[in-house]
Each structure stands twice: as structure tokens, then as C-alpha cells.
Amino acid sequence: MSAIFETQAVSFSYPGTQTKALNELNIAIPEGKKTAICGHNGSGKSTLFLHTIGIHEPASGQVLWKNTPLKYERKALKQLRQDIGLVFQDPEQQLILNTPYEDVTYGLRNAGLPEPEIKHRAEAILSTMRIEHLAHTPIHHLSLGQKKRVALAGVLVLEPKLLLLDEPTAYLDRISEQQLIEELDRIHHRGITLVMATHDMNLAYAWADWVLVLDRGQCVMAGTPSDIFSQTDTIQSLGLDKPMLLDLWESLPEANREGVSAPRNVADFKSHLLKSFS
Ligand SMILES: Nc1ncnc2c1ncn2[C@@H]1O[C@H](COP(=O)(O)OP(=O)(O)O)[C@@H](O)[C@H]1O
Ligand SMILES: [Mg+2]
């Protein structure tokens, strides 16, 4: 498994604080996969994300993009931020312009693209994200779910190779969450490596190919969702919930049969149940 992004012994403290937000953190993001970064509040997920695009610079250790340590100078960071797209948890932090159209075209203009290309790409992404009808609506008139779509569109329009989403489903209703996950699957099929920070263990279990668990600024677990979440005691001691589907599954006699892998979504779970009752 090759890593597209890595941190090696990265430590970082916020100014004026004693605790290390990241404490010799080692992680590797597998290229082409969907990785979930889990951990309770304050474990360092957002701080890690702010290191990926060089908003924060480690006090010690190094951050590598495609095996090359980041350079913290303007030109290199500008290029890096086209390769790596970061969607903040709070869209208010990301959306600084007046309308979705202005927001989505801003990054393209910054990248120096010609005007017809800018228009074409902006319209295409607004339509993909199903917000073309809102293109010229003032951002402060949009719902939170709509703002999240605009923030995602503004990042996707730059066609990043790695997309990081910080708690993308926080405060979304079920339908908006479902739509977002479907959208992420389409993005993933286009070959983009995805990383999501989340404290929704049900989502991490169902969605991810690979899971990293952070605790106090360190990576304490890394593995497949089944590997990670079957370690009930460790998961609970880290203040995380066991995914409900896995918990139910492990209570069935089925779960102990060799060669039967735990279902990761409701449809698979149902088909196992139907088989065993028929
Ligand atoms: N702007 C900040 N100033 C000072 N401390 C911060 C700031 N942001 C985060 N921290 C601290 O850094 C640690 C990691 O926080 P964070 O990366 O936000 O965790 P998570 O995203 O996993 O909830 C916590 O102890 C938190 O209190
Ligand atoms: Mg956070």
C-alpha cells in the first residue's frame, strides 16, 4: 500500500498552551482509498488537517506529500493547495465571498485560468453539487447543508488529488448526509483519495476502507474497519462507540462462523439474516 501523504513524528502546540495538540504523530494515508480519521473531541484531527496544507507548521517532525517534505514558502504552498483540498468543518470559515458562483470561481482565478475555462468549470461543479440554482444567491441566505455543498464545490473545482473533509456530516440531516456520501463515492470513483475526520463510528465503519484512530495527538490504531472496531475494549477505552451494526452482528451465532465477514451496511446485514432464517 503506497502512501500519498504522511506525517513523521510531528509535534505541534498552539501558542500559549502547554499540551501538545500533536505528539510525535505518525500517520500514512493510503493512495486511492477512503480513510476515516476517528478520535474523540480534542484528539488532534483538525490540527492534523491544518498541517496537511501547511496552515500550521510542525514544531518538530515532518509532513510529506508524495514522499516529499512540505516547503513552507508561498509558491510551494500555492501548488500544494491545488493538489490537496481541505473542507473545513464549519463552512463559515471557508466561504468568504458573497455568492456560490464568486466563491467557486475565486480559486480558479487565483490559479490563473482563462475566463471561459473558469466559467465552464464553475458551472459544471455547481451543477454536479446540485446548487446551480443557488449560484447567485447570497451565501448568508443558504442553509447549513447548502453552505457545506458550496464549500465542497469550491474545493473540488480545483480538482485536488487528495480531498480531506473535517466532520463533513456534523449537523447534517439524514437525507443531506446520504446525498453527501453518494457524492463522495462519485468523487472517489474518479480516482481521488479521500480522508474524512469523524466521530460518527457508524459512518466510519460503513464508509471507510482504512481507519486511523487518534488519541491525545497520537495515532493509536490503524487498520481496516473490521480490524479496528472488533477491538471492543480498546475502542471503548478511547471514548469511542462501537458501530451498531457490528455490535448487533457480534451478538449473533453467525458471527463466530469461520469465513463469514461482518456486514458493513444494512442491506448486507439483512441478506445474512434472511439466509440464516430461511
Ligand atoms: N486554536 C486553538 N488554540 C489553542 N488550542 C487549540 C486550538 N485548536 C485546538 N486546540 C487544542 O488542540 C488539541 C487538538 O484539538 P483539535 O485538533 O481541534 O481536535 P479534534 O479536531 O480532534 O477535536 C485540543 O487539546 C484543543 O483544545
Ligand atoms: Mg475537529
Side-chain angles (χ1 to χ4, degrees), residues 87-138:
V87 184
F88 290 78
Q89 174 173 350
D90 178 4
E92 307 285 348
Q93 271 185 293
Q94 191 133 13
L95 304 173
I96 43 171
L97 295 161
N98 291 321
T99 67
Y101 188 82
E102 283 176 37
D103 193 85
V104 167
T105 51
Y106 176 79
L108 296 172
R109 246 176 229 120
N110 242 349
L113 291 182
E115 207 56 34
E117 166 93 17
I118 291 177
K119 187 165 182 288
H120 174 72
R121 273 169 65 169
E123 283 169 357
I125 198 74
L126 290 169
S127 132
T128 306
M129 298 304 296
R130 287 178 304 234
I131 42 176
E132 69 269 45
H133 58 296
L134 302 170
H136 302 289
T137 306

Side-chain angles (χ1 to χ4, degrees), residues 12-17 19-22 37-50 56 89 166-167 197-199 214 216-217:
F12 177 83
S13 300
Y14 285 93
T17 64
T19 49
K20 287 186 171 165
L22 301 181
I37 301 191
C38 303
H40 55 76
N41 278 333
S43 58
K45 303 180 296 295
S46 297
T47 306
L48 164 63
F49 277 8
L50 295 171
H56 291 324
Q89 174 173 350
D166 199 351
E167 308 271 1
T198 183
H199 56 246
L214 301 197
R216 285 173 285 178

